[in-house]
Every structure is written in C-alpha cells, then in structure tokens.
Amino acid sequence: MAYSAELYMHELDKKAFDALNTFPRLVKLREAYSANYDEKAAKYQFLSSAIRLSKNQMPEVYNLLPPICEKLDINVPELYYIKSKEMNAATMGSTTPYVYVTSKMVDKLPLELLSSVLAHECGHIACRHSLYHSIAGLLVNGIENSSFNDLLPIRKLLTPNLIRALLFWDRCSELSADRAAVLCDGTADKTIDVLLRVHGYGENVNREEFLKQAMDLRDFVNSSNANKVFEQMMVQGESHPRMATRVYECYEWSKSDRYKGIVDGTYTIEMKKTDDEADVQEEEVLAADVNIEAHNKPNGEKVDSSDITFDVDAALNAVNSELNRYTNRAEGIDYFIGIVSGIFAGIIDATFVGEINITNSEIGLSHQQVNNFIQEYAKSRGLGGDRLKDAISDLEQAFKVAQDNVWKGAGIGVSAKNHHLADLAHHPTPVGLLSSIIVQFLRIGTFVNKEGEWHFIFVKPSADDIVEILAPAVLTGLLNWLVVVAEKKYEDDYEKEVPELVHKVAHIVSSTPIILEIAKCADNWFGHLVSDMGGSKNTAGGGMGIPGVFVSFLYEIAALPILKDSGLPAFVNDLYENHKLDLRHELVLYKSLGRQAIPVAFNEIYARLFFFLIHLEGEIIDHKGVKGIDWSHVIPFRNRTMDRVMMVASMTFNVADTVDAAAHAAIESCGSWIVFSGKFVARYNYVGAGRAALAIVKEISNEKKEAELIHEKLLLTQIKTRSVVEQVERYKVLLEEKIAGFLAEDITEFMDGFDYIKQGFNSGDSDLVIKGNVVIQRVLGREPQFTNQMEFDELMESDVALVL
C-alpha cells in the first residue's frame, strides 16, 4: 500500500511549504540554478568519487530501497555510498533526486535501522523537500562561500528573517521525513534508535527512559511562553530539530489516530484538509515572536494582535508595583528602631511579666468557668437542670458519637484514662472535626495510642444509620446531575456557556443535603466535646476532660510517621494522663501567655509607630511638603521594609528575654541544673519566640517572592524589548523584501543591462554601454534622456541639464 505524502506531511511543514511560495522568484531562480549547476556538479562528483549502489553493488544495502520507494509512491532514486568518518545520510537534487549514505553509517547500523534511515531520506523526496532543503544547507554552510553568492538579487532577498524562516522550514521538513520513516517501519522504535545511534549513543541507552526524558522536554517547553521563547532562541540557527524533540514527535505521531487511519487506509486527503483547517494553529515563523495570551478588555472585546505591547506593559507595571512592595529599603535608622523597640519590650517583659506561675486558685477558677460554660450551653440547647451532672448527662444523650466506646476490648493500647486523647474525634481541632465526619459517613473510628500507632476501627452501622448516611449523598448526586443536564441543555439552546456565578450557585444549592448533613455532624461533634469538657456524668467537674488545643495539636504532630518512634507520643500522653493537662488546665496557661503577649504587643506597636513617624518626616523633607508623598514607603503595613524592622525587633526582644530568663534562672538555681531548667522554662516568653519565628518565616517568604518578581520582570523586559526590536525589524524586513522583490522581478533585464555595459567596455562600443544604461533606467522606472551616442552628444550641446 502506497502512502501519499500529503497525508502524513507535518502541519508546520505544510504551512512552511506554502509560505515558501510567497517568494516564487527566489524558488524559480534556485530551482533553475540547482538543475543547471548543483545537480550536474553533484552528479560528476558522485560518479567520479563515490560508489553507486545497485543490485550488483552492495545489494544488501540497495535492496532496502525499492520497497521503501513503493510504500512512499516515488521513483527509486540513485543511491551512493561515500567514504566518511561521520554517520550521515542526505537527499539532494530537485529535478533528479539522489540519496547518499556514508561508510560509517553503513558500518555502524544494522540493516533494519539502515532501512529506517533510507525511509527518512525518501520521505524528503516524497514531500519535495530537496529545493529549500538545499537552500537551508547553503545557509548553514555559509552563503558567502557558495556559488549562490554570485546572484545579487538572491542575496538581497536573503534577509535575516528569511534566513531564520528557511531554517525553520528545514527543521519542519525533518519531522515530516521522520513520519515517513515511522510509516515504513510500522513503529517509532527504529527511528528513535537511529536518532540515538546517530548522535553517538550506543545500545546501552534505555530507549524507554529516554522517551520519558523527551516527554519531560515537551512538557517543560509547553509550560510557559518564556520557555517557548528560549527554545526558539536556542534552535533558530539550526537546520535540524533537537534529538529529544524528534523523539517525542515520532512517538506521539505513532500513537495518533491519524497514523492508524493512514496505515489501515481509512484516513483520506479530504479528512486531512478538514483536520488542517480545524487543528493547525498559526505559528510565527519568521521572527519567532512571543505569543502573549490575549485577555479580554473590560468591555468584553477581544484584544487583537496590536494590543500585545499593551498587555506586556500592563503585566510589567503590575510586576513593578508588586516588586516595589517586596523590595527591602531598610537603612540604619530602620535597624535602630527595631533594636531599640526590642530592648524596651525586653525590659517590660523582665519587669512586669516575669515567670509563669500557675496557682491552685487559678486552676480552680478555670474549672469553675468550664463548668459554667457546660451548664450554659446545655440550657441554650434546652437541656440540663440546675446541676452540672444533669447538664453533662443530657448532653451525652443528645450528642452521641458512634466510636465513643469501640476501643474497649480492641487491644489497641487505649484506656479509660487516655481515650479522649487517643480518639482523634475528641480533639477540639480541624483534625478532630475531620475524624468526626469520617466516623459519621464511613463509620470508621481513628485512634492513635501512646506508642504512635494508628488504629482504624470499623463501627457496625444499623439499618437506620445506612439510610441516614446514604440518603443525603444520593439526593445530592441526583440534584447535581439534574443541574448538569440543565446546563447542557442551556448550552445547546443558546450556544454559550452558563455564567460562572450561576454555575457555582446552582451546584452549591444542589449540594445542600450533604452540606446540611456535614453541618449537623459538626454540631453533634461540638456538643459531644462540651459534654466531655468537665468529665463524665459520674465524675462531673472532677474527672478528666478533653485535651486542649495545644495538647491535641502536639499529639497529632507526634503521630506523624517521622516522629512516631521519637518518644513524643508517649511524652504528650504522659502530660495528659498523669499530669492532668486537659482543656481546663490549658486555659490557665492561655491566660499566662496573655500576660506574655503584653511586651510583644508593645514591641509591635512601638516599632510600627516610630517607623511611620520617622519615614513620614523623611518624605516631607524630600518632597518639601505633603504633596507627592509615596505612602507605600510610609505606611507600616504591607511593607517589606517594615517586615525587616519587625524581624530585627522580634529577634532583639527574643535575645533580651532569653538573657533575662537565663540570668534569673542561674541566680535562683544555685548551681542546680534541674532548678535552672525549671526556672528558665517558667520565665521564657513563648509568645515572643513565636512572633520571632513568624517574622523569620515572613522574611524568607519575602526574599523568595522578591526573587520570583525579579525573574518575572526580567522575562517581561526581554519580551517587551524583543517585541519592540521585532517591530522595527519587521519594517526593515518589509522594506528590504520590497526592494529585493522589485529587483528580482526584473532580474533578466538587469543582467542584460549589465551584460551590454560590460560588452561595451570590452569592445569600446559606447552605444552598447548606453544601451545597457537604458535597460537599467527603464527597470528602475525612469525614462532615459538618451538612447545612443548621437542623442548623448546632442544633449551635451543643449542647455538641458543631465540627470543622473
């Protein structure tokens, strides 16, 4: 079965081939020159120095060629074998094509891969690539060193943009020839192997792994416009695509429906034309311009190509604005503000805050406050009586949870003393809420024992539980399906998409059953936590309550796989189970931490206030008044310089607090390390440490953001510069091509004119010199003042001025 080149020709190759015809005179000149000089010279060269293969000359190689030519529906070209240390093969000639392979290619490749090489070269012939392939070859080897340089009009036509275009077309032609090879081979594997061998990689290279690498290259290039620009810049002077590019093009082509259709004969030329109209996207061939995504204007109109520069400018302005906010401008006075503010905050902390000292009266007060909250919450839900025990009992009945007692007898290391900590659904944290939802909908309880071991216990549901779980899920699915059907009908009827806001609202409303069920689950979770805050109904106000937020978070972190064997889960369990550190005790710590927040708040306010006053004064002095003040440099919020000041202030305060805590602990411990540790821990300001940590994280984030913005600004600046330069180049190229085209149109007359002049000089015949001048003047659109020697003499004797 023969494959028509029009079926498998690469889309960009087809567009390039069509674009070449916009320079018909160049094509005709080159075609004539090739037929009358290049092909004859090559014929002589090969016949005199190479080996022509045939059925009787290296038949094992030659016999590979006829079946390939039959598949590609071309005449069998002459095949030459030349001595060379390079692995190479090429197709030359436009009127009488021929192929040559080098001795190293034949020696190094097995016959099945050599067949793929010949199929590639015959693909060039089938697609009629030889003409501009030869032009591109001249460009790569240097026009100045070729006979092509003799034709002045052609040199005029070969502007830098046209040269880049010819090389681009040449790269496209390789993709079409690769497709021809894949069709002849029946697989992309041989073509990929040939590419690896030709580029110097042996059999030890894993084809599949390199294919993954090639796909990574494709994804990298397609991930951004900037990467596409970089690719264009790197390959614009090359005649062949990069190896990995050809590999993924071959592979994707071999897996395409079009390839399968060509092989089984179901894909026709009419289908190809339809696909081309639908799929081929415009590519900037000549200048490799950057394609900026066109956004909609505020009035809904599309931005056309003339708006590209505006889009780049808008993006650049946005980046500059962001970069202005993320640029650190801290000077000596700013660092002085931070240091002084941190020292003063440290003095306040040492003088007025001191140690965290929790008294029994404070613990008792916290217990009473929790008990009061339980009773008030129960009354708000219409439950409980005058006694705490009644409130807890009613809440336990009203807000039952399925996994409350499944740990009993399960042998998972959970006991009555620590089950509120081990059962994650009893934690007053987001993880606790999530665990509660999992229990509600999946009937799976999540437990972590003091060894850090995770256990998932299935809670057997009743028939009512199954209905309660499935009903809202099924109803939600049904409602969302109806919404999708309605949206599809709307799009079919009105031929436009449903407005985004309507789409979101409709799906939210249709998800109401499941949302209500989740809300109900959250309410039940919170109600159950309240019932357990003060112990059970049998130990109301005195038993172990639920763990507080801090202990819960710490236990969840300790349960992570990386910390499971660190001993942290057992340590947190000991705090809760043996030291009775539940929510009520944590509340006392929160109050103490509230006192520690006083110097931290002073540090925050003092530093920001003095920053504002000092920089406002500086702006007023610089602008000689309030007019023109850059408030982004003054306002102490969303300001990178202010973030740097706060980092200095927070770390200065943290250092001062650490020195104070260590000094007091050393004095009071009298050399006892245990006493020193306890006193230091009690006096250290944890709120200040947390604020310093946040400041450091913020600074690192700012540095990263600034680097990203600088990189983005660089790319946008390059794009804008390239756009402006290309715009100027387009005007220049247009002018050059018009001039060159003008010359090319009348190249015969020009050459005749110069020939007359040359003959006239050689023979001394002035009439021939004048005749040549007349021909050139008329080509240039001028009417000559004289056409022979007699008319010239008469003009010289007259008063009429000679116009040159």
Side-chain angles (χ1 to χ4, degrees):
M1 176 181 178
Y3 303 122
S4 169
E6 192 171 350
L7 292 177
Y8 59 80
M9 199 171 186
H10 195 281
E11 294 76 19
L12 293 179
D13 183 16
K14 182 66 168 60
K15 290 184 70 64
F17 198 87
D18 293 340
L20 181 65
N21 292 326
T22 61
F23 301 94
R25 294 175 183 82
L26 172 64
V27 176
K28 290 178 180 177
L29 284 170
R30 176 57 193 161
E31 191 170 27
Y33 192 80
S34 175
N36 290 286
Y37 179 82
D38 281 349
E39 291 183 27
K40 291 180 179 179
K43 182 88 170 178
Y44 174 80
Q45 182 69 21
F46 282 123
L47 287 174
S48 62
S49 306
I51 302 297
R52 184 173 61 189
L53 304 188
S54 66
K55 294 179 180 180
N56 300 317
Q57 186 69 271
M58 298 179 65
E60 69 280 4
V61 176
Y62 178 80
N63 289 338
L64 299 173
L65 190 59
I68 293 171
C69 296
E70 184 178 353
K71 286 184 179 179
L72 299 181
D73 196 23
I74 61 173
N75 295 325
V76 178
E78 290 188 342
L79 178 60
Y80 290 94
Y81 173 86
I82 64 174
K83 192 73 175 175
S84 175
K85 295 180 180 180
E86 296 181 358
M87 289 186 69
N88 195 17
T91 300
M92 302 180 69
S94 55
T95 55
T96 308
Y98 49 90
V99 177
Y100 74 80
V101 291
T102 63
S103 55
K104 187 171 183 179
M105 177 79 78
V106 174
D107 294 341
K108 292 294 183 181
L109 293 185
L111 288 177
E112 63 269 17
L113 295 187
L114 189 59
S115 174
S116 184
V117 172
L118 294 177
H120 173 92
E121 298 306 328
C122 289
H124 282 307
I125 297 174
C127 294
R128 297 176 295 135
H129 289 153
S130 298
L131 178 62
Y132 66 83
H133 195 72
S134 65
I135 297 175
L138 289 171
L139 296 174
V140 173
N141 295 325
I143 295 268
E144 292 77 9
N145 300 320
S146 72
S147 55
F148 209 30
N149 190 47
D150 295 335
L151 299 179
L152 177 64
I154 292 179
R155 283 190 288 126
K156 279 286 190 179
L157 281 171
L158 290 173
T159 62
N161 271 12
L162 182 56
I163 290 174
R164 285 199 297 272
L166 287 167
L167 292 175
F168 176 82
W169 292 332
D170 201 27
R171 293 194 296 274
C172 295
S173 75
E174 297 300 326
L175 301 179
S176 293
D178 284 343
R179 288 186 174 186
V182 172
L183 277 170
C184 291
D185 295 337
T187 174
D189 293 348
K190 291 182 180 180
T191 306
I192 295 174
D193 288 343
V194 167
L195 289 169
L196 289 169
R197 297 283 190 91
V198 168
H199 285 82
Y201 300 102
E203 298 178 10
N204 58 324
V205 176
N206 187 309
R207 182 201 309 135
E208 297 302 322
E209 285 301 313
F210 184 75
L211 181 57
K212 293 178 183 177
Q213 176 183 327
M215 293 303 183
D216 289 342
L217 171 67
R218 177 201 61 187
D219 296 340
F220 171 74
V221 171
N222 293 334
S223 63
S224 70
N225 286 328
N227 290 351
K228 292 178 182 177
V229 173
F230 291 149
E231 183 194 37
Q232 290 281 359
M233 292 171 63
M234 294 182 70
V235 304
Q236 64 180 347
E238 300 174 5
S239 62
H240 284 59
R242 295 292 174 96
M243 175 175 62
T245 302
R246 294 175 68 178
V247 165
Y248 73 66
E249 286 278 355
C250 285
Y251 176 78
E252 291 184 334
W253 161 247
S254 70
K255 301 300 180 184
S256 68
D257 292 336
R258 181 178 298 184
Y259 170 82
K260 295 174 184 176
I262 294 174
V263 171
D264 61 27
T266 59
Y267 192 77
T268 63
I269 293 178
E270 288 71 22
M271 295 170 67
K272 172 74 164 55
K273 291 179 179 178
T274 303
D275 286 348
D276 287 346
E277 292 173 359
D279 297 338
V280 175
Q281 299 177 353
E282 289 294 331
E283 294 285 339
E284 178 55 70
V285 174
L286 297 182
D289 282 346
V290 180
N291 293 319
I292 304 299
E293 182 180 354
H295 299 284
N296 290 342
K297 294 181 179 179
N299 59 5
E301 297 177 6
K302 291 288 185 179
V303 178
D304 60 23
S305 58
S306 63
D307 291 315
I308 287 179
T309 303
F310 172 79
D311 282 348
V312 174
D313 288 339
L316 196 54
N317 289 337
V319 169
N320 284 332
S321 177
E322 278 287 281
L323 189 58
N324 182 57
R325 186 167 78 83
Y326 280 96
T327 300
N328 173 42
R329 299 180 179 83
E331 299 175 350
I333 186 64
D334 298 304
Y335 292 103
F336 179 76
I337 292 172
I339 293 171
V340 170
S341 177
I343 292 173
F344 271 107
I347 293 172
I348 294 172
D349 178 66
T351 306
F352 299 104
V353 179
E355 293 183 12
I356 297 176
N357 188 14
I358 301 175
T359 64
N360 290 330
S361 61
E362 288 178 321
I363 295 175
L365 178 61
S366 177
H367 275 62
Q368 187 59 48
Q369 289 173 334
V370 169
N371 293 340
N372 291 339
F373 174 76
I374 294 171
Q375 287 186 276
E376 291 297 324
Y377 182 78
K379 288 179 181 180
S380 69
R381 304 301 294 262
L383 304 170
D386 296 331
R387 297 186 307 169
L388 175 64
K389 179 178 179 179
D390 295 333
I392 292 176
S393 178
D394 288 354
L395 288 171
E396 286 179 348
Q397 289 297 318
F399 300 102
K400 292 182 179 181
V401 291
Q403 86 289 355
D404 210 12
N405 295 307
V406 295
W407 53 270
K408 293 180 179 179
I412 60 174
V414 178
S415 64
K417 289 184 177 181
N418 73 350
H419 79 278
H420 284 162
L421 180 67
D423 180 8
L424 298 188
H426 276 84
H427 289 195
T429 63
V431 172
L433 176 59
L434 178 61
S435 299
S436 179
I437 293 173
I438 291 174
V439 170
Q440 172 65 21
F441 290 97
L442 301 179
R443 283 300 190 269
I444 297 175
T446 307
F447 296 85
V448 179
N449 63 25
K450 63 182 179 181
E451 305 301 328
E453 297 171 343
W454 289 72
H455 295 277
F456 301 95
I457 302 179
F458 180 70
V459 181
K460 187 176 180 180
S462 64
D464 292 340
D465 292 334
I466 295 175
V467 173
E468 185 180 358
I469 294 169
L470 293 180
V474 171
L475 184 57
T476 297
L478 179 61
L479 291 175
N480 274 278
W481 175 74
L482 291 174
V483 169
V484 171
V485 171
E487 288 179 336
K488 183 67 171 64
K489 188 174 188 312
Y490 175 89
E491 292 172 358
D492 292 341
D493 291 345
Y494 297 97
E495 296 183 349
K496 62 180 181 179
E497 293 184 355
V498 176
E500 185 66 20
L501 179 61
V502 175
H503 169 80
K504 289 182 179 179
V505 171
H507 281 278
I508 290 173
V509 172
S510 61
S511 301
T512 300
I514 201 72
I515 293 173
L516 290 176
E517 193 64 24
I518 291 174
K520 179 182 174 183
C521 177
D523 178 64
N524 187 76
W525 167 73
F526 183 76
H528 187 78
L529 290 184
V530 174
S531 75
D532 285 336
M533 284 181 181
S536 67
K537 62 184 177 181
N538 298 323
T539 58
M544 280 298 291
I546 62 172
V549 175
F550 174 74
V551 170
S552 296
F553 270 128
L554 190 59
Y555 197 67
E556 290 159 10
I557 293 172
L560 294 174
I562 58 174
L563 296 174
K564 173 181 176 293
D565 299 323
S566 66
L568 185 58
F571 176 78
V572 179
N573 184 83
D574 184 63
L575 287 177
Y576 176 77
E577 185 176 339
N578 298 322
H579 294 275
K580 310 299 182 184
L581 191 59
D582 63 3
L583 177 64
R584 292 167 295 189
H585 286 69
E586 271 195 30
L587 291 176
V588 181
L589 291 175
Y590 297 156
K591 292 177 182 178
S592 298
L593 292 176
R595 290 198 303 271
Q596 288 192 343
I598 294 174
V600 177
F602 169 84
N603 195 22
E604 199 85 20
I605 296 170
Y606 182 89
R608 293 184 187 276
L609 178 61
F610 272 81
F611 176 90
F612 174 76
L613 294 176
I614 289 174
H615 281 271
L616 179 61
E617 180 186 13
E619 286 285 319
I620 291 174
I621 292 172
D622 290 344
H623 293 88
K624 298 180 181 179
V626 297
K627 188 176 181 180
I629 290 178
D630 188 348
W631 291 102
S632 66
H633 294 170
V634 176
I635 300 298
F637 299 99
R638 289 177 59 81
N639 187 316
R640 171 70 189 285
T641 306
M642 186 68 242
D643 291 339
R644 175 65 62 86
V645 171
M646 284 313 307
M647 185 186 73
V648 173
S650 299
M651 294 191 67
T652 301
F653 168 66
N654 190 251
V655 170
D657 172 65
T658 302
V659 171
D660 170 70
H664 278 80
I667 294 170
E668 296 177 24
S669 65
C670 298
S672 172
W673 177 250
I674 296 175
V675 176
F676 175 87
S677 300
K679 290 292 183 180
F680 181 84
V681 169
R683 196 172 180 87
Y684 186 71
N685 193 308
Y686 297 96
V687 177
R691 180 65 183 91
L694 288 176
I696 293 171
V697 171
K698 179 70 173 175
E699 183 64 18
I700 294 172
S701 174
N702 285 339
E703 289 285 351
K704 180 182 178 183
K705 182 67 175 179
E706 183 181 12
E708 290 174 351
L709 289 170
I710 291 173
H711 178 66
E712 189 173 352
K713 180 179 180 179
L714 175 63
L715 290 179
L716 288 171
T717 302
Q718 289 176 340
I719 290 171
K720 181 178 179 180
T721 304
R722 187 179 181 85
S723 177
V724 172
V725 170
E726 292 293 349
Q727 194 171 14
V728 174
E729 281 292 322
R730 277 194 289 271
Y731 288 121
K732 177 185 174 184
V733 168
L734 181 62
L735 181 60
E736 287 180 349
E737 289 179 355
K738 283 186 176 296
I739 295 172
F742 176 76
L743 292 175
E745 287 179 359
D746 300 287
I747 188 170
T748 303
E749 288 83 354
F750 258 106
M751 289 183 170
D752 289 345
F754 283 120
D755 283 344
Y756 288 140
I757 292 173
K758 185 177 180 179
Q759 292 174 20
F761 279 125
N762 291 336
S763 63
D765 188 343
S766 60
D767 281 338
L768 279 178
V769 174
I770 293 172
K771 182 178 180 179
N773 174 68
V774 169
V775 171
I776 294 173
Q777 290 288 329
R778 284 175 175 164
V779 169
L780 294 174
R782 298 176 182 174
E783 187 59 38
Q785 291 177 291
F786 54 90
T787 58
N788 51 49
Q789 182 67 49
M790 184 182 297
E791 291 180 1
F792 175 75
D793 294 338
E794 292 176 355
L795 178 63
M796 291 296 98
E797 293 174 357
S798 69
D799 295 330
V800 178
L802 176 64
V803 179
L804 297 177

